[in-house]
Amino acid sequence: MAGTGYRELLRTPGVGRIIAAQLTARFPNGMSSLAILLHVEHITGSYGAAGLVLAASSVGQAVAGPVTSRWMGRWGMRRVLTLTLAVCVLAFLGLAFLPLPLAGQMALGLIAGLSTPPIQSAVRTIYPKLVNSSQLTPLFSLDASLQEIIWIVAPVVITVVSTQVGTEQGLLLVAAVLVTGGAWFILSPEVGRVRIPRSRRGFGAVVLKPPVLLATAIGFLLIGCCAAVEVGVVKTFDEGGLQAGLVLALFSVGSLIGGLASGRIPIGPWAMARRLVVVTVGLSLTMISLNVFWLGGTLVAAGIGVAPALAVLFAMTSASVKFSETAEAYGWVGTGQLIGAAAGSAIAGFLIDSAHSPVGACLAAALFAAAALVVSVVFVRSFPDLRHRDASPLPDTEAVPLL
C-alpha cells in the first residue's frame, strides 16, 4: 500500500528529480564534519584543535540557518543558494590548501558554517508547490527516510578517502560534491518556478508560534539523542572502527524502514508521542548490554521511530505557518537540531568520562529521547491535527487587519 503511494508520488512531475538533486546537494552534510576533523587533526596532531575548528563550523551553521533561509524570500532562492554555495566551496578549498594557524582555520570553519547553502529549507518550501495536498505528508515521510542514505553512506566514503588517500583530498571531495549537487539543485526548474513571498513579519517572529517552537525544541532533543548514540557507539568500538560504522548504519536503516512504513499514517496530535515512545524504549534497552548484536538490534528498533518523528516535525511546521514564512521556520528548526547535536555529543562525552564506560552515552541518548517524549505529551494540544487536513502552508492572501 505504502509502496504504491510512493510510486505514484515519484511519478508526479519534478518530484523524483528534486528529491535526487537535494539529496546530492545535502550529501556533503554527512561528510564535512569528519573531513574537517580528520584534516585538522592530521596537520596539527591535536584532536582538541580539530574540535575547535569543528565547533566554529557548527556555530556558523546554527547562526546562519534562519538568516539565509529568510534571505530567500527577499532575494530569491537561486541568488542566495548560488552565493552561499560559492563562499562555502572557497572556505573548504582554503582549509585544504592554505597553511594557516589554528585561528585562521577556525575562521575558515566559521565561514564554511555560515555559508552552508540552505538546501533543506529551500526544498521543504518547494514541496507544497509540487504535489497535491493529500501527497504532502507522504512526501515529508519519504524525504525524512531517504535522508538516512546520507548518514549511512557519506561518513564511510569520507573516512575511506581521508584515511586512505589524504585529508586534503577528503576536503576536495566535499567541495566537488557541493558544486555538483548544489548546481544540480539550483538549476532544477522547480527552484526557478517557486518564488517565496517576502515575509511581512519581523525576523524571528515565526519561531514564537507554538508549533514551530515545539518543532524546534523536539528537534533539539531528538537530534541530541542521535548525536549521543554516535558518540557512544564510536567509544564502544574504538578498537574496531568497522563495527562502529556498521552499528550506526543499522540505526539509520531502522529509521529508513520506519519512515517508509509510516508515510500514509495520518498525523494527529499524539503522533509525535507515539513515535518517540519507540525511540525512547529502543535507546533505553541499549544500556542492558554493549554486545555488538544487542546494540545493533536495539538501535534498529529505536531508529524505526526517528524518521517518522522527523516527518511529523516537517509536516507540523509546514501546516502552521504562511508560505512566506516556511523557509525561515525550517531554518529555525534546523538550528535547533544543530545545537541539539552539539549538546548531545558534549553531554554524552561528559557522562562517558564520569562513568568510565560507553553506557554513559547510552544513558544520555535515552534521557534526550525521554525528554522529547515528555515535551510531546505535556504540550500535545499545541500539535496541529492533520488527520482531516493537509500539511500545506497557510495562504498569504488572507486579510491583514488595519491598525
Side-chain angles (χ1 to χ4, degrees):
M1 188 77 173
T4 303
Y6 289 132
R7 281 196 295 273
E8 292 175 359
L9 190 61
L10 291 172
R11 281 200 292 265
T12 303
V15 170
R17 176 174 56 232
I18 203 70
I19 288 177
Q22 64 97 7
L23 284 175
T24 307
R26 289 168 55 203
F27 200 78
N29 293 354
M31 300 192 295
S32 58
S33 295
L34 266 175
I36 292 172
L37 184 74
L38 291 169
H39 179 69
V40 178
E41 190 280 329
H42 174 70
I43 61 177
T44 65
S46 168
Y47 276 103
L52 288 173
V53 177
L54 197 53
S57 175
S58 298
V59 168
Q61 287 187 59
V63 169
V67 178
T68 54
S69 296
R70 186 179 174 90
W71 283 354
M72 290 191 291
R74 177 174 295 180
W75 295 309
M77 284 192 194
R78 280 183 167 158
R79 286 182 182 178
V80 173
L81 291 171
T82 302
L83 174 63
T84 52
L85 176 67
V87 175
C88 194
V89 169
L90 289 174
F92 273 99
L93 292 177
L95 280 170
F97 295 119
L98 296 179
L100 297 171
L102 179 58
Q105 292 171 337
M106 289 178 65
L108 281 179
L110 178 64
I111 292 170
L114 287 170
S115 59
T116 299
I119 301 291
Q120 187 168 251
S121 297
V123 74
R124 286 171 189 155
T125 300
I126 291 170
Y127 282 159
K129 300 298 183 181
L130 284 186
V131 299
N132 61 50
S133 57
S134 65
Q135 294 176 309
L136 188 54
T137 297
L139 180 54
F140 281 132
S141 293
L142 181 62
D143 179 279
S145 304
L146 293 180
Q147 72 177 6
E148 295 298 336
I149 296 171
I150 296 172
W151 306 110
I152 294 170
V153 179
V156 176
V157 171
I158 198 62
T159 299
V160 170
V161 171
S162 295
T163 58
Q164 302 302 314
V165 182
T167 58
E168 292 89 354
Q169 286 78 6
L171 290 170
L172 281 176
L173 177 61
V174 173
V177 179
L178 269 170
V179 171
T180 305
W184 185 11
F185 182 77
I186 291 167
L187 295 174
S188 297
E190 296 75 20
V191 176
R193 282 199 295 264
V194 176
R195 193 171 187 282
I196 306 172
R198 184 179 296 199
S199 177
R200 290 191 289 263
R201 305 181 75 193
F203 176 71
V206 69
V207 79
L208 299 179
K209 289 192 172 186
V212 179
L213 187 58
L214 198 54
T216 303
I218 291 178
F220 166 87
L221 294 166
L222 181 60
I223 301 304
C225 84
C226 295
V229 165
E230 184 174 347
V231 172
V233 169
V234 169
K235 175 62 178 176
T236 301
F237 303 108
D238 56 1
E239 297 301 324
L242 179 60
Q243 285 182 316
L246 291 174
V247 170
L248 287 173
L250 287 173
F251 188 37
S252 293
V253 167
S255 181
L256 176 62
I257 293 170
L260 293 175
S262 67
R264 288 285 174 180
I265 298 175
I267 295 175
W270 288 97
M272 179 64 80
R274 286 196 295 268
R275 297 167 192 218
L276 289 175
V277 165
V278 176
V279 181
T280 303
V281 171
L283 293 180
S284 298
L285 291 173
T286 61
M287 291 184 283
I288 294 176
S289 170
L290 295 178
N291 173 274
V292 63
F293 297 106
W294 176 263
L295 205 53
T298 53
L299 287 179
V300 168
I304 286 173
V306 173
L310 288 171
V312 175
L313 286 185
F314 304 151
M316 68 186 283
T317 301
S318 174
S320 304
V321 300
K322 294 179 181 179
F323 181 65
S324 60
E325 299 171 326
T326 50
E328 185 188 344
Y330 283 122
W332 284 109
V333 173
T335 290
Q337 293 175 4
L338 284 165
I339 297 172
S345 299
I347 292 172
F350 174 77
L351 290 179
I352 286 173
D353 290 341
S354 299
H356 302 289
S357 167
V359 172
C362 297
L363 174 62
L367 289 176
F368 267 90
L373 175 58
V374 169
V375 170
S376 68
V377 171
V378 171
F379 297 100
V380 68
R381 292 186 178 181
S382 294
F383 285 89
D385 190 345
L386 303 179
R387 289 173 294 183
H388 306 295
R389 56 162 290 202
D390 59 77
S392 300
L394 305 173
D396 281 276
T397 54
E398 60 188 4
V400 180
L402 298 176
L403 296 178

